[in-house]
């Protein structure tokens, strides 16, 4: 059912995690992944190490990364079956199949960035299985085993748990979940026997949780008005999110990449019904545990406990877009899925005459889930498909309007892009990226005044936007205000010292003021930062050719062409330099290639005639 995902491409955030991740592909990058928090979007070194290992195998072909995600999800389903079987949960296989096929899991599997979910899930379940072996629950256990055997499973569980934390810190809830399981399965819960061995797990989870919270605030940027909710408001978010996820698990219709963000109002009485309803359900299950057993209350508590990091009590960056997302419920879904499977299995056993209809019903559920997952996985084909589907399901998603507009800009559909940006601004006027993107549209449409106004508004909202400073500098320099342009480029570089485009643009502006040494310095710095960036090689070559350093110019034009082989102007620049150095045959070849790429390039046409004349006077 995940074949459509296997054919999918890279989507949102996959650039930060894979395609533009500078830590992948070198031994020093692996060192940075582990030893430099901030070198990657989050400090999840096991997850990024998996990408580092795969980069030589798949390169920038997304199918390999998708394939690994699918394998991890399949492994997690098998592990879930084994864990639930050890816990003697009726219908363990049924729960595992539902977990494997449920369409709410598609976001975790089909989105390469969510490798952190499926990989941390693998270690989470391995740790849980090992701990159950250690405490002797299910099977023969290790209760009566030698201490060496018990220590082995305990050590394995702790190591797997640390690997889970280093894949994604949301797995910090595991020791609390294990305590819950022990309370459920033990006739008599003893703190010394059941809780003390989990102390190292709690310490590790707390430590990694603190690291992640710090990264979310100071590296990712989860600070400001969008995250300044009161405790009461956070309780309202949590209560509503619990029912939202439970409903989507029961009725997985209109699953979206970005859901509508709720208006949380502590003065609105009906919003208190969500947390009150969740609390009432727990009270009822607790009160009836003697009659129905501890299983239902344990399952519901597991669901809520595992969701806790994503319920809004701790600020995380995606809260700016929505309080809920499908991938948040990947592990938490186990609680409700296992409870449903147990009820179905108990009913089938107790009502023998309904066995055949129950099995037909189960197969029907499998088929429906498989078809829904197949359809949902196909939405991850590419970004345009994903954002278009998001807007169909959530027309007021300013995130989707903005990102779809950016794709339309790349396609040259500027009027359509402007429509989406303007819609995004009506929905969220304080979103600086939309002002910036609208400025890009105006700049490309030849309206520098409007572009400058948009860039300035983006900077008013977010003075630390290096991109906005850079583009404002381009617009100002393009209108002849070179000094103001230089000031903006310097500001962009102060915010982002490794901003190769700003260094290149600063070099061009200094060249416009005939400050050749300063221009050369910034071109060289841009090349140092990004050796695959063609523009500074070309610009440095132009400068060197003007200075009569033709050999250096030729070398830089060749490097520019290696970075961008399909550029007609670059071929023409190299051809002109070769002609000046007396290599008319080489010049002729590059002029011909330039005209093949761009037949209307007049400079190449004139140069080719001159080269032919010099070759055949």
């Amino acid at each position: 059912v995940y074949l459509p995902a296997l054919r999918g491409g890279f989507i949102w955030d996959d650039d930060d995690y894979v395609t533009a991740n500078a830590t992948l592909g070198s031994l020093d990058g692996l060192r940075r992944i582990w030893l430099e928090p901030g070198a990657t979007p989050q400090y999840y070194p096991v997850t990024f190490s998996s990408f580092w290992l795969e980069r030589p195998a798949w390169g920038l072909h997304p199918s390999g990364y998708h394939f690994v995600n699918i394998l991890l999800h399949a492994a997690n389903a098998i592990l879930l079956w084994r864990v639930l079987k050890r816990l003697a949960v009726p219908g363990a296989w049924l729960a595992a199949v539902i977990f494997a096929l449920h369409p709410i899991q598609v976001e975790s599997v089909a989105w390469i960035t969510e490798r952190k979910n499926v990989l941390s899930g693998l270690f989470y379940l391995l740790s849980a299985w090992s701990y159950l072996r250690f405490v002797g629950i299910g099977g023969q256990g290790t209760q009566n085993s030698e201490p060496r055997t018990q220590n082995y499973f305990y050590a394995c569980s702790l190591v797997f748990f640390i690997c889970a934390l280093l894949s994604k810190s949301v797995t910090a809830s595991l020791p609390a979940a294990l305590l819950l399981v022990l309370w459920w399965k033990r006739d008599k819960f003893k703190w010394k026997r059941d809780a003390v061995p989990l102390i190292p797990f709690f310490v590790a989870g707390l430590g990694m949780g603190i690291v992640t919270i710090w990264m979310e605030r100071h590296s990712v940027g989860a600070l400001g008005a969008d995250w300044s909710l009161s405790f009461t408001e956070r309780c309202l978010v949590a209560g509503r999110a619990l029912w939202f996820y439970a409903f989507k698990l029961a009725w997985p219709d209109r699953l979206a990449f970005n859901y509508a963000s709720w208006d949380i109002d502590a003065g609105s009485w009906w919003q208190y019904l969500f947390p009150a309803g969740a609390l009432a359900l727990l009270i009822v299950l607790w009160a009836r545990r003697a009659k129905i057993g501890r299983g239902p209350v344990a399952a519901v508590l597991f669901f809520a406990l595992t969701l806790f990091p994503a319920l809004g009590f701790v600020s995380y960056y995606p809260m700016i877009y929505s309080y809920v997302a499908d991938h948040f419920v990947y592990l938490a879904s186990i609680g409700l899925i296992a409870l449903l499977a147990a009820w179905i299995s108990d009913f089938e056993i107790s009502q023998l005459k309904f066995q055949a209809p129950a099995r037909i019903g189960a197969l029907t559920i499998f088929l429906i889930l498989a078809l829904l997952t197949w359809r949902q996985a196909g939405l991850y084909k590419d970004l345009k498909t994903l954002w278009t589907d998001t807007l169909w399901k959530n027309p007021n998603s300013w995130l989707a309007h903005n990102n779809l507009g950016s794709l339309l800009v790349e396609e040259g559909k500027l009027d359509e892009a402007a429509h989406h940006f303007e819609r995004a601004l009506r929905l969220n006027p304080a979103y600086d990226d939309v002002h910036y993107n609208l400025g890009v549209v105006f700049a490309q449409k030849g309206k520098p005044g409007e572009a400058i106004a948009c860039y300035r508004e983006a900077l008013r909202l977010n003075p630390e936007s290096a991109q906005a400073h850079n583009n404002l500098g381009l617009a100002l320099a393009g209108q002849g205000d070179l000094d103001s342009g230089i000031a903006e480029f310097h500001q962009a570089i102060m915010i982002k010292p490794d901003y190769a485009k700003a260094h290149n643009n600063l070099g061009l502006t200094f060249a416009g003021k005939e400050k050749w040494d300063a221009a050369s310095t910034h071109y060289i710095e841009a090349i140092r930062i990004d050796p695959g960036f063609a523009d500074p090689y070309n610009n440095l070559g132009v400068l060197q050719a003007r200075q009569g350093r033709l050999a250096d110019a030729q070398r830089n034009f060749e490097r520019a062409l290696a970075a961008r082989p399909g550029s007609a102007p670059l071929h023409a620049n190299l051809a002109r330099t070769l002609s000046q150095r007396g290599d008319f045959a080489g010049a002729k070849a590059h002029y011909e290639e330039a005209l093949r790429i761009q037949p209307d390039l007049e400079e190449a046409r004139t140069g080719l005639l001159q080269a032919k004349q010099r070759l055949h006077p």
Side-chain angles (χ1 to χ4, degrees):
V1 301
Y2 276 99
L3 279 175
L6 197 59
R7 296 191 289 266
F10 292 109
I11 60 164
W12 197 45
D13 276 0
D14 287 345
D15 51 349
D16 287 338
Y17 276 72
V18 179
T19 60
N21 187 345
T23 65
L24 306 184
S26 71
L27 196 60
D28 183 64
L30 183 62
R31 177 194 64 78
R32 294 182 64 208
I33 285 170
W34 284 90
L35 300 180
E36 290 184 23
T40 53
Q42 264 290 9
Y43 185 67
Y44 297 149
V46 171
T47 294
F48 286 101
S49 294
S50 74
F51 290 137
W52 184 87
L53 288 169
E54 290 171 68
R55 187 65 172 269
W58 324 126
L60 296 180
H61 298 287
S63 57
Y65 302 97
H66 284 303
F67 182 67
V68 173
N69 274 20
I70 295 167
L71 284 182
L72 288 169
H73 181 55
N76 290 344
I78 294 169
L79 280 170
L80 175 60
W81 167 51
R82 301 307 301 169
V83 169
L84 295 179
K85 189 174 178 63
R86 178 159 287 276
L87 289 171
V89 174
W93 67 274
L94 176 61
V97 174
I98 293 174
F99 176 84
L101 296 180
H102 202 290
I104 207 169
Q105 312 294 27
V106 170
E107 188 168 286
S108 296
V109 183
W111 186 7
I112 292 171
T113 289
E114 282 307 315
R115 164 69 58 80
K116 54 194 174 186
N117 239 20
V118 289
L119 184 59
S120 65
L122 178 80
F123 291 119
Y124 178 100
L125 291 165
L126 283 170
S127 178
W129 182 85
S130 300
Y131 199 84
L132 294 177
R133 290 293 305 268
F134 162 67
V135 297
I137 289 180
Q140 296 300 314
T142 58
Q143 270 183 316
N144 302 317
S145 303
E146 295 181 4
R148 180 183 296 179
T149 305
Q150 285 185 292
N151 292 338
Y152 169 77
F153 283 111
Y154 180 80
C156 285
S157 181
L158 183 57
V159 169
F160 286 138
F161 177 59
I162 292 171
C163 288
L165 290 173
L166 295 176
S167 300
K168 190 175 183 180
S169 58
V170 72
T171 53
S173 63
L174 177 61
L178 289 171
L179 272 183
L180 182 64
V181 167
L182 292 173
W183 168 81
W184 164 40
K185 299 301 292 184
R186 301 283 203 195
D187 292 331
K188 290 185 179 180
F189 183 84
K190 295 181 180 179
W191 284 100
K192 184 176 181 180
R193 178 192 64 184
D194 296 326
V196 170
L198 286 170
I199 289 175
F201 290 74
F202 279 106
V203 171
L206 179 62
M208 192 60 191
I210 291 171
V211 170
T212 301
I213 291 170
W214 188 92
M215 291 285 291
E216 282 287 334
R217 287 175 169 269
H218 300 284
S219 180
V220 183
L223 284 170
D226 291 299
W227 297 272
S228 58
L229 299 176
S230 68
F231 179 74
T232 300
E233 290 171 328
R234 291 177 187 273
C235 288
L236 295 177
V237 169
R240 194 164 175 177
L242 287 169
W243 288 109
F244 174 89
Y245 290 123
F247 178 77
K248 287 296 182 183
L249 283 166
W251 191 258
D253 183 40
R254 296 179 70 84
L255 298 176
F257 190 71
N258 175 230
Y259 293 103
S261 186
W262 307 319
D263 292 324
I264 301 300
D265 181 6
S268 180
W269 67 268
W270 64 268
Q271 296 196 20
Y272 289 86
L273 295 177
F274 294 105
L279 186 60
L281 176 62
L282 280 174
I283 291 172
V284 169
L285 293 175
W286 176 267
R288 294 181 60 81
R289 70 189 186 281
K291 185 174 182 180
I292 64 174
R294 295 179 177 181
V297 70
V300 173
L301 280 172
F302 174 88
F303 174 69
L305 180 71
T306 310
L307 266 177
F308 181 83
L311 290 180
F313 291 108
V314 178
S315 294
Y316 50 89
Y317 191 79
M319 287 171 66
I320 193 174
Y321 310 121
S322 177
Y323 294 118
V324 288
D326 289 352
H327 65 276
F328 290 155
V329 79
Y330 184 74
L331 288 172
S333 66
I334 291 171
L336 298 190
I337 289 173
L339 184 59
L340 173 65
W343 281 344
I344 293 173
S345 182
D346 279 343
F347 176 81
E348 182 183 343
I349 293 169
S350 61
Q351 303 290 332
L352 294 177
K353 61 181 179 180
F354 293 114
Q355 275 193 344
R359 291 176 181 176
I360 292 171
L363 289 173
T364 303
I365 291 173
F366 295 163
L367 180 60
I368 292 171
L369 291 177
L371 290 173
L372 290 173
T373 295
W374 174 280
R375 184 182 68 178
Q376 191 72 11
L379 300 178
Y380 290 75
K381 174 186 175 183
D382 52 47
L383 273 172
K384 192 170 185 179
T385 302
L386 189 64
W387 294 126
T388 301
D389 176 77
T390 300
L391 286 175
W392 178 67
K393 295 170 179 173
N394 179 14
N396 290 330
S397 171
W398 49 267
L399 172 67
H401 278 294
N402 177 64
N403 291 351
L404 182 57
S406 297
L407 294 174
L408 292 168
V409 169
E410 293 175 8
E411 295 176 2
K413 299 176 180 177
L414 300 182
D415 291 333
E416 289 183 52
H419 167 75
H420 283 286
F421 293 142
E422 288 163 358
R423 181 70 187 276
L425 281 179
R426 286 196 295 272
L427 294 165
N428 186 1
Y431 189 30
D432 62 283
D433 275 0
V434 187
H435 291 282
Y436 167 82
N437 288 331
L438 195 55
V440 171
V441 169
F442 283 130
Q444 292 193 18
K445 294 180 78 171
K447 298 180 179 180
E450 290 90 334
I452 288 171
C454 289
Y455 295 142
R456 291 195 188 281
E457 180 62 15
L459 287 169
R460 185 187 70 80
L461 294 167
N462 180 13
E464 297 300 304
S465 173
Q467 276 188 316
H469 280 293
N470 176 67
N471 280 33
L472 178 58
L474 280 174
L476 292 169
Q479 288 197 309
D481 189 354
L482 300 184
D483 290 334
S484 294
I486 288 171
E488 293 298 331
F489 294 136
H490 275 304
Q491 189 65 30
I493 290 168
M494 283 180 63
I495 296 167
K496 187 179 177 182
D498 60 347
Y499 198 175
K501 287 184 179 179
H503 278 288
N504 179 64
N505 292 334
L506 190 52
L508 280 171
T509 312
F510 276 126
K513 292 173 69 72
E514 297 187 355
K515 295 185 177 181
W516 312 119
D517 290 342
S520 177
T521 298
H522 285 285
Y523 293 146
I524 292 169
E525 181 63 11
I527 290 168
R528 185 195 67 78
I529 293 168
D530 186 358
F533 186 16
D535 289 354
Y537 288 115
N538 177 64
N539 295 333
L540 184 59
V542 170
L543 189 154
Q544 291 167 336
R546 178 181 281 114
Q547 295 173 331
R549 297 163 56 190
L550 297 180
D552 291 335
Q554 176 183 336
R555 185 161 50 250
N556 279 305
F557 288 137
E558 288 170 345
R559 290 171 178 169
L561 270 175
R564 194 188 300 156
S567 171
L570 290 181
H571 279 286
N573 285 347
L574 177 56
R576 184 175 59 253
T577 304
L578 290 171
S579 181
Q580 290 173 337
R581 298 194 71 193
D583 183 359
F584 301 110
K588 174 177 174 292
H590 282 284
Y591 278 134
E592 287 174 340
E593 181 61 16
L595 288 170
R596 185 191 66 79
I597 297 168
Q598 187 178 335
D600 62 345
L601 188 61
E602 189 59 34
E603 177 192 356
R605 192 179 304 279
T606 303
L608 179 59
L609 288 173
Q610 292 173 349
K612 286 180 176 179
Q613 288 174 355
R614 298 300 298 269
L615 282 171
H616 307 288

